[in-house]
Structures are given as structure tokens and as C-alpha cells.
Amino acid sequence: MLDLHPGDAASAVWTLECTASPLAEGIDVKGPYVQGRPGQRFVYLVWGNVDPDGQFTMFRRAKLMFDGVDGQVLAEAVAAGRLVARLGLTDVKGLPLRAAVRPPLVTWSAESATGAGAGRA
């Protein structure tokens, strides 16, 4: 688990160290927080409660799906050093985002690894 953020925070940023490897059909992203098989990789965004003793209990999670990243954007991210995902953290009902998340719910972009960003692959 990485950096907990309050559910009502104005924004949240996580940086995940990943590696990218070429595949016949594109680029495979792997890392300690990346789940799934090649072509079906994702990162969980987990929602939960923290009790007074500091115990975390999950109640909902979303999958940020890498198969929704445009191949050109992913190639640019490999060259630049950072893949950034920007997304709202709630659904249309104002509840925590859940299920598989792909564009248009998430916008993927490439950024320089030395620049500011919201996430890295």
C-alpha cells in the first residue's frame, strides 16, 4: 500500500516505479504495484476506512487499465520517463470511483521524468 490520502482531499498524487519492455504487440508495463497479464495490466486504486487503531479496511477499488493507454502515448512515456494518469476520484453519483477505468474517465500522457506529474510508469 502506498501513501494514504483523505477521501475528501482536493487532489492526490502517487508515484509508482515501473519498467517497460517491448512486446510484439506493444509495450508491457511491470512493477511491484502492477497486476494482471501482458495486455491486461492494471494498477488498483483502493478506497477504504482507517479505524482509530490505524487498521485499513477496503470497501471499494478501481482498476486503472493500461490497455486504455494509446500506444503512441506509451512509447512517448517510455522515452520521456513518465506515464501520467489524470482522473477524477468520484463517479457521476459522487461515490468513490470503481471498476475498470479507461478513457474517457482517465487521461494518459507522457511527461519528462524530471517534471511534475501525477504518476509514473
Side-chain angles (χ1 to χ4, degrees):
M1 186 174 317
L2 291 175
D3 309 327
L4 296 175
H5 292 277
D8 60 355
S11 66
V13 176
W14 295 274
T15 300
L16 310 176
E17 295 295 328
C18 300
T19 60
S21 305
L23 294 174
E25 62 278 355
I27 298 171
D28 188 26
V29 178
K30 297 184 209 175
Y33 297 99
V34 178
Q35 307 283 319
R37 289 180 251 166
Q40 301 172 358
R41 303 261 194 227
F42 62 91
V43 175
Y44 278 120
L45 173 61
V46 178
W47 297 93
N49 293 311
V50 179
D51 68 22
D53 295 327
Q55 180 69 32
F56 179 86
T57 303
M58 181 191 78
F59 67 84
R60 183 172 278 185
R61 65 184 176 184
K63 289 182 177 182
L64 301 182
M65 304 299 297
F66 288 123
D67 66 1
V69 182
D70 178 86
Q72 182 63 35
V73 170
L74 189 51
E76 291 170 3
V78 170
R82 182 171 290 171
L83 176 64
V84 177
R86 289 187 173 82
L87 65 152
L89 299 179
T90 56
D91 64 18
V92 295
K93 295 180 180 178
L95 299 172
L97 194 62
R98 62 183 170 87
V101 179
R102 294 180 175 90
L105 296 177
V106 59
T107 301
W108 295 96
S109 62
E111 292 186 4
S112 169
T114 59
R120 177 165 74 191

